[in-house]
Every structure is written in C-alpha cells, then in structure tokens.
Coordinates of all heavy atoms in Angstrom, one line a residue:
M8 N 46.7 44.2 -3.3 CA 45.5 43.9 -2.6 C 45.8 42.8 -1.5 O 46.5 41.9 -1.8 CB 44.4 43.5 -3.5 CG 44.5 42.1 -4.2 SD 43.4 42.0 -5.5 CE 43.0 40.2 -5.5
P9 N 45.1 42.9 -0.4 CA 45.4 42.0 0.7 C 44.8 40.6 0.4 O 43.7 40.4 -0.1 CB 44.7 42.6 1.9 CG 43.7 43.5 1.3 CD 44.1 43.9 -0.1
R10 N 45.7 39.6 0.6 CA 45.2 38.2 0.3 C 44.6 37.7 1.6 O 45.1 37.9 2.7 CB 46.4 37.4 -0.1 CG 47.1 37.8 -1.4 CD 47.7 36.7 -2.1 NE 46.8 36.2 -3.2 CZ 46.7 34.9 -3.5 NH1 47.3 34.0 -2.9 NH2 45.9 34.6 -4.5
P11 N 43.6 36.9 1.4 CA 43.0 36.3 2.6 C 43.9 35.2 3.2 O 44.7 34.6 2.5 CB 41.7 35.6 2.0 CG 41.9 35.6 0.6 CD 42.8 36.6 0.2
K12 N 43.8 35.1 4.5 CA 44.7 34.1 5.2 C 44.3 32.7 4.7 O 43.2 32.4 4.6 CB 44.3 34.2 6.7 CG 45.6 34.5 7.5 CD 45.2 34.1 8.9 CE 46.0 35.0 9.9 NZ 45.5 34.8 11.3
R13 N 45.3 31.9 4.6 CA 45.1 30.5 4.2 C 45.1 29.7 5.4 O 46.1 29.6 6.1 CB 46.1 30.1 3.2 CG 45.9 30.5 1.8 CD 46.8 29.6 0.9 NE 47.0 30.3 -0.4 CZ 47.8 29.8 -1.3 NH1 48.5 28.7 -1.0 NH2 47.9 30.3 -2.5
D14 N 44.0 29.0 5.7 CA 44.2 27.9 6.7 C 44.4 26.6 5.9 O 45.3 26.5 5.1 CB 43.0 27.8 7.6 CG 41.9 28.9 7.3 OD1 42.2 30.0 7.6 OD2 40.9 28.5 6.9
M15 N 43.4 25.7 6.0 CA 43.6 24.5 5.3 C 42.9 24.6 4.0 O 41.8 25.1 3.9 CB 42.9 23.4 6.2 CG 43.4 23.5 7.6 SD 43.9 21.9 8.2 CE 42.6 20.8 7.9
P16 N 43.6 24.0 3.0 CA 43.0 24.0 1.7 C 41.7 23.1 1.7 O 41.7 22.1 2.4 CB 44.0 23.4 0.8 CG 45.0 22.7 1.7 CD 44.9 23.5 3.0
A17 N 40.7 23.6 1.0 CA 39.5 22.8 1.0 C 39.6 21.6 0.1 O 39.4 21.7 -1.1 CB 38.3 23.7 0.6
Q18 N 39.9 20.5 0.7 CA 40.1 19.3 -0.1 C 39.4 18.1 0.6 O 39.6 18.0 1.8 CB 41.5 19.0 -0.3 CG 42.0 19.7 -1.6 CD 43.5 19.3 -1.8 OE1 44.0 18.4 -1.2 NE2 44.1 20.1 -2.7
G19 N 38.7 17.4 -0.1 CA 38.0 16.2 0.5 C 37.0 16.6 1.5 O 36.8 17.8 1.8
G20 N 36.3 15.6 1.9 CA 35.3 15.9 3.0 C 34.3 17.0 2.6 O 33.8 17.7 3.5
Q21 N 33.9 17.1 1.3 CA 33.0 18.1 1.0 C 31.6 17.6 1.3 O 31.2 16.5 1.2 CB 33.1 18.4 -0.5 CG 33.0 17.2 -1.4 CD 32.1 17.5 -2.6 OE1 31.5 18.5 -2.7 NE2 32.1 16.5 -3.5
K22 N 30.8 18.6 1.7 CA 29.4 18.2 2.0 C 28.4 19.1 1.2 O 28.8 20.0 0.5 CB 29.1 18.6 3.5 CG 30.0 17.7 4.4 CD 29.9 18.3 5.8 CE 30.9 17.6 6.7 NZ 31.0 18.2 8.0
V23 N 27.2 18.6 1.2 CA 26.2 19.4 0.6 C 26.1 20.7 1.5 O 26.5 20.7 2.5 CB 24.9 18.7 0.6 CG1 23.8 19.4 -0.3 CG2 25.1 17.2 0.2
G24 N 25.6 21.8 1.1 CA 25.6 22.9 2.0 C 26.9 23.5 2.2 O 27.5 23.4 3.2
L25 N 27.4 24.1 1.1 CA 28.7 24.7 1.1 C 28.7 26.0 1.8 O 27.8 26.8 1.6 CB 29.2 24.8 -0.3 CG 30.6 25.1 -0.6 CD1 31.5 24.0 -0.1 CD2 30.8 25.3 -2.1
V26 N 29.7 26.3 2.7 CA 29.7 27.6 3.4 C 31.0 28.2 3.0 O 32.1 27.6 3.1 CB 29.6 27.4 4.9 CG1 29.7 28.7 5.6 CG2 28.3 26.6 5.2
C27 N 30.9 29.5 2.7 CA 32.1 30.2 2.4 C 33.0 30.4 3.6 O 32.6 30.7 4.7 CB 31.7 31.6 1.8 SG 33.2 32.7 1.5
R28 N 34.3 30.0 3.4 CA 35.2 30.1 4.6 C 35.6 31.5 4.8 O 36.1 31.8 5.9 CB 36.5 29.3 4.2 CG 36.3 27.9 4.0 CD 37.5 27.3 3.3 NE 37.7 25.9 3.7 CZ 38.5 25.6 4.7 NH1 39.1 26.5 5.4 NH2 38.6 24.4 5.1
E29 N 35.3 32.4 3.9 CA 35.8 33.7 4.1 C 34.7 34.6 4.8 O 35.0 35.2 5.8 CB 36.0 34.3 2.6 CG 37.0 35.4 2.5 CD 38.3 35.0 3.2 OE1 38.8 33.9 3.2 OE2 38.9 35.9 3.8
C30 N 33.5 34.5 4.3 CA 32.5 35.4 4.9 C 31.4 34.5 5.6 O 30.5 35.1 6.2 CB 31.9 36.3 3.9 SG 31.0 35.5 2.6
G31 N 31.4 33.2 5.4 CA 30.4 32.4 6.0 C 29.0 32.3 5.3 O 28.1 31.7 5.8
C32 N 28.9 33.0 4.2 CA 27.6 32.9 3.5 C 27.5 31.6 2.7 O 28.5 30.9 2.5 CB 27.4 34.2 2.7 SG 28.2 34.1 1.1
Q33 N 26.3 31.4 2.3 CA 26.1 30.1 1.6 C 25.6 30.4 0.1 O 24.9 29.5 -0.5 CB 25.1 29.2 2.3 CG 25.6 28.9 3.7 CD 24.6 28.0 4.4 OE1 23.4 28.1 4.2 NE2 25.1 27.1 5.3
H34 N 25.8 31.6 -0.3 CA 25.3 31.9 -1.7 C 26.4 31.8 -2.7 O 27.3 32.6 -2.8 CB 24.8 33.3 -1.7 CG 23.7 33.5 -0.7 ND1 22.4 33.0 -0.8 CD2 23.7 34.1 0.6 CE1 21.7 33.3 0.2 NE2 22.4 33.9 1.1
F35 N 26.4 30.7 -3.4 CA 27.4 30.4 -4.4 C 26.7 30.4 -5.8 O 25.6 29.9 -5.9 CB 28.1 29.1 -4.1 CG 29.1 29.2 -3.0 CD1 28.7 29.0 -1.7 CD2 30.4 29.5 -3.2 CE1 29.5 29.1 -0.6 CE2 31.3 29.6 -2.2 CZ 30.9 29.4 -0.9
R36 N 27.5 30.8 -6.7 CA 27.0 30.5 -8.1 C 28.0 29.7 -8.8 O 29.2 29.8 -8.5 CB 26.7 31.8 -8.8 CG 28.0 32.6 -9.1 CD 27.6 34.0 -9.6 NE 28.8 34.8 -9.8 CZ 29.3 35.0 -11.0 NH1 28.8 34.5 -12.1 NH2 30.4 35.8 -11.1
V37 N 27.6 28.9 -9.7 CA 28.5 28.0 -10.4 C 29.1 28.7 -11.6 O 28.4 29.2 -12.4 CB 27.7 26.7 -10.9 CG1 28.7 25.8 -11.7 CG2 27.2 25.9 -9.7
V38 N 30.4 28.8 -11.6 CA 31.1 29.5 -12.6 C 31.3 28.6 -13.8 O 31.0 28.9 -15.0 CB 32.4 30.0 -12.2 CG1 33.1 30.8 -13.3 CG2 32.3 30.9 -10.9
Y39 N 31.7 27.4 -13.6 CA 31.7 26.4 -14.6 C 31.5 25.0 -14.1 O 31.7 24.7 -12.9 CB 32.9 26.5 -15.5 CG 34.2 26.0 -15.0 CD1 34.4 24.7 -14.6 CD2 35.3 26.8 -14.9 CE1 35.6 24.2 -14.1 CE2 36.5 26.4 -14.4 CZ 36.7 25.1 -14.0 OH 37.8 24.6 -13.5
L40 N 31.2 24.1 -15.0 CA 31.0 22.7 -14.7 C 31.7 21.9 -15.7 O 31.6 22.1 -16.9 CB 29.4 22.5 -14.7 CG 28.9 21.2 -14.2 CD1 27.5 21.4 -13.7 CD2 28.8 20.2 -15.4
K41 N 32.4 20.9 -15.2 CA 33.2 20.1 -16.1 C 32.9 18.6 -15.8 O 32.9 18.2 -14.6 CB 34.7 20.4 -15.9 CG 35.5 20.0 -17.1 CD 37.0 20.2 -16.8 CE 37.4 21.6 -17.1 NZ 38.9 21.8 -16.8
R42 N 32.6 17.9 -16.8 CA 32.4 16.4 -16.6 C 33.6 15.7 -16.9 O 34.3 15.9 -18.0 CB 31.2 16.0 -17.4 CG 29.9 16.4 -16.9 CD 28.8 16.0 -17.8 NE 27.5 16.7 -17.4 CZ 26.7 16.2 -16.4 NH1 27.1 15.2 -15.7 NH2 25.7 16.9 -16.1
R43 N 33.9 14.8 -16.1 CA 35.1 13.9 -16.3 C 34.7 12.5 -16.5 O 33.7 12.1 -15.9 CB 36.1 14.0 -15.1 CG 36.6 15.4 -14.9 CD 38.1 15.3 -14.6 NE 38.7 16.6 -14.4 CZ 39.4 16.8 -13.3 NH1 39.6 15.9 -12.4 NH2 39.9 18.0 -13.2
P44 N 35.4 11.7 -17.2 CA 35.1 10.3 -17.3 C 35.1 9.6 -15.9 O 35.9 10.0 -15.1 CB 36.3 9.7 -18.2 CG 37.2 10.8 -18.4 CD 36.6 12.1 -18.0
G45 N 34.2 8.7 -15.8 CA 34.0 8.1 -14.5 C 32.9 8.7 -13.7 O 32.8 8.4 -12.5
G46 N 32.2 9.6 -14.3 CA 31.0 10.2 -13.6 C 31.4 11.2 -12.6 O 30.6 11.5 -11.7
I47 N 32.5 11.8 -12.7 CA 33.0 12.9 -11.8 C 32.6 14.2 -12.4 O 32.9 14.5 -13.5 CB 34.5 12.8 -11.6 CG1 34.8 11.4 -10.9 CG2 34.9 14.0 -10.7 CD1 36.3 11.2 -10.8
V48 N 32.0 15.0 -11.6 CA 31.6 16.4 -12.0 C 32.3 17.4 -11.2 O 32.3 17.4 -9.9 CB 30.1 16.6 -11.8 CG1 29.7 18.0 -12.3 CG2 29.3 15.6 -12.6
V49 N 33.1 18.2 -11.8 CA 33.8 19.3 -11.1 C 33.1 20.6 -11.3 O 32.8 21.0 -12.4 CB 35.3 19.3 -11.6 CG1 36.0 20.5 -10.9 CG2 36.0 18.0 -11.4
R50 N 32.8 21.3 -10.2 CA 32.2 22.6 -10.3 C 33.1 23.6 -9.7 O 33.6 23.4 -8.6 CB 30.8 22.6 -9.6 CG 29.8 21.7 -10.3 CD 28.5 22.1 -9.7 NE 27.4 21.2 -10.3 CZ 27.0 20.1 -9.7 NH1 27.4 19.8 -8.5 NH2 26.0 19.4 -10.2
R51 N 33.1 24.7 -10.3 CA 33.8 25.9 -9.7 C 32.7 26.8 -9.2 O 31.9 27.3 -10.0 CB 34.7 26.6 -10.7 CG 35.4 27.8 -10.0 CD 36.4 28.3 -11.0 NE 36.7 29.7 -10.6 CZ 37.6 30.5 -11.2 NH1 38.3 29.9 -12.2 NH2 37.7 31.7 -10.9
R52 N 32.7 27.1 -7.9 CA 31.7 27.9 -7.4 C 32.3 29.2 -6.8 O 33.4 29.2 -6.3 CB 31.0 27.2 -6.2 CG 30.2 26.0 -6.7 CD 29.8 25.2 -5.5 NE 29.2 23.9 -5.8 CZ 27.9 23.7 -6.0 NH1 27.1 24.8 -5.8 NH2 27.5 22.6 -6.4
E53 N 31.6 30.2 -7.0 CA 32.1 31.5 -6.6 C 31.1 32.1 -5.6 O 29.9 32.2 -5.8 CB 32.2 32.4 -7.8 CG 32.9 33.7 -7.5 CD 33.0 34.6 -8.8 OE1 34.0 34.4 -9.5 OE2 32.1 35.3 -9.0
C54 N 31.7 32.6 -4.5 CA 30.8 33.3 -3.5 C 30.3 34.6 -4.0 O 31.0 35.4 -4.6 CB 31.7 33.5 -2.2 SG 30.7 34.4 -0.9
R55 N 29.0 34.8 -3.9 CA 28.4 36.0 -4.4 C 28.6 37.2 -3.5 O 28.4 38.3 -3.9 CB 26.9 35.8 -4.5 CG 26.5 34.9 -5.7 CD 25.1 34.4 -5.6 NE 24.2 35.5 -5.8 CZ 22.9 35.3 -5.8 NH1 22.4 34.1 -5.7 NH2 22.1 36.3 -5.9
N56 N 29.1 36.9 -2.3 CA 29.3 38.0 -1.4 C 30.7 38.5 -1.4 O 30.9 39.7 -1.6 CB 29.0 37.5 0.0 CG 28.9 38.6 1.0 OD1 28.3 39.7 0.7 ND2 29.4 38.5 2.2
C57 N 31.7 37.6 -1.4 CA 33.1 38.1 -1.3 C 33.9 37.7 -2.6 O 35.0 38.1 -2.7 CB 33.8 37.6 0.0 SG 34.1 35.9 0.0
G58 N 33.3 36.8 -3.4 CA 34.0 36.5 -4.6 C 35.0 35.3 -4.5 O 35.6 35.0 -5.5
R59 N 35.1 34.8 -3.3 CA 36.0 33.7 -3.1 C 35.5 32.5 -3.9 O 34.3 32.2 -3.7 CB 36.2 33.4 -1.7 CG 37.2 32.3 -1.4 CD 37.2 31.9 0.0 NE 38.1 30.8 0.3 CZ 39.2 30.8 0.9 NH1 39.6 32.0 1.4 NH2 39.9 29.8 1.1
W60 N 36.3 31.7 -4.6 CA 35.8 30.6 -5.2 C 36.4 29.3 -4.7 O 37.5 29.3 -4.1 CB 35.9 30.7 -6.8 CG 37.3 30.9 -7.3 CD1 38.0 32.0 -7.5 CD2 38.3 29.8 -7.6 NE1 39.2 31.8 -8.0 CE2 39.4 30.5 -8.0 CE3 38.2 28.4 -7.6 CZ2 40.6 29.7 -8.4 CZ3 39.3 27.7 -8.0 CH2 40.5 28.4 -8.4
T61 N 35.7 28.2 -5.0 CA 36.1 26.9 -4.5 C 35.7 25.9 -5.5 O 34.8 26.0 -6.3 CB 35.5 26.6 -3.1 OG1 36.0 25.4 -2.7 CG2 34.0 26.7 -3.2
L62 N 36.5 24.8 -5.6 CA 36.2 23.7 -6.5 C 35.6 22.6 -5.7 O 36.0 22.2 -4.6 CB 37.5 23.2 -7.2 CG 38.1 24.1 -8.2 CD1 39.4 23.4 -8.7 CD2 37.2 24.3 -9.4
T63 N 34.5 22.1 -6.3 CA 33.9 20.9 -5.6 C 33.9 19.8 -6.6 O 33.8 20.0 -7.8 CB 32.4 21.2 -5.2 OG1 31.7 21.5 -6.3 CG2 32.4 22.3 -4.2
R64 N 34.1 18.6 -6.1 CA 34.2 17.4 -7.0 C 33.1 16.5 -6.5 O 33.0 16.1 -5.4 CB 35.5 16.8 -6.8 CG 36.0 16.1 -8.1 CD 37.4 15.7 -8.0 NE 38.3 16.8 -7.8 CZ 39.6 16.7 -7.2 NH1 40.0 15.5 -6.8 NH2 40.3 17.7 -7.1
E65 N 32.2 16.1 -7.4 CA 31.1 15.2 -7.0 C 31.1 14.0 -7.9 O 31.4 14.1 -9.1 CB 29.8 16.0 -7.2 CG 29.6 17.0 -6.1 CD 28.7 18.1 -6.6 OE1 27.7 17.8 -7.2 OE2 28.9 19.3 -6.2
T66 N 30.8 12.9 -7.3 CA 30.7 11.7 -8.1 C 29.2 11.4 -8.3 O 28.5 11.3 -7.4 CB 31.4 10.5 -7.4 OG1 32.7 11.0 -6.9 CG2 31.6 9.4 -8.3
Q67 N 28.9 11.2 -9.5 CA 27.5 10.8 -9.8 C 27.4 9.3 -10.1 O 28.2 8.7 -10.8 CB 27.0 11.5 -11.1 CG 26.8 13.0 -10.8 CD 26.2 13.7 -12.0 OE1 26.2 13.2 -13.1 NE2 25.6 14.8 -11.8
V68 N 26.5 8.7 -9.4 CA 26.4 7.2 -9.5 C 25.4 6.9 -10.6 O 24.4 7.6 -10.7 CB 25.9 6.6 -8.2 CG1 25.9 5.1 -8.3 CG2 26.8 7.1 -7.0
Ligands
LIG17 ZN1 32.1 34.7 0.8

C-alpha cells in the first residue's frame, strides 16, 4: 500500500485546531489519552477521513 509522503514530522508548535496534513480536514477522534507526571497529557488522534494519526502533547497548568 502506498505510503503518504513525509514532509516535516509534526513536532512542537502544536496549536488548538488541529488540521490533518494529509487531507486537510479537522475531524479527529482521540484514540487514547495518557497522563504523564508533570501535568503532561499525550493524546493520539486519528483523522476520521483518511485515518492518519498524530500525537499531541499538552501541558495542563
Ligand atoms: Zn485526514
């Protein structure tokens, strides 16, 4: 199966309003959520349109 082209890995500079790099849609569902010590929340989100997933790291104050 054809792999999508890789440009830059999505790291840092994450914003609210995540947009899929693959198809440009903004419909993500959270596949899992992991809490780390230090108030860091890691979420794995999957695009509902093309299935591409991405990890987001958020710091909760
Ligand atoms: Zn997509």
Side-chain angles (χ1 to χ4, degrees):
M8 74 193 212
R10 298 209 100 214
K12 236 199 211 171
R13 279 196 197 175
D14 0 287
M15 310 229 307
Q18 272 182 11
Q21 56 137 348
K22 294 168 187 169
V23 192
L25 193 62
V26 178
C27 178
R28 297 164 146 270
E29 210 47 37
C30 66
C32 81
Q33 299 180 330
H34 302 283
F35 285 87
R36 66 190 177 100
V37 177
V38 183
Y39 76 61
L40 187 149
K41 201 185 275 184
R42 286 179 192 275
R43 295 221 182 133
I47 299 172
V48 181
V49 178
R50 291 194 185 98
R51 177 173 158 175
R52 297 167 185 270
E53 190 179 271
C54 176
R55 286 164 65 178
N56 195 40
C57 70
R59 183 188 174 107
W60 60 267
T61 180
L62 288 174
T63 60
R64 213 171 296 161
E65 288 155 38
T66 312
Q67 288 187 342
V68 185

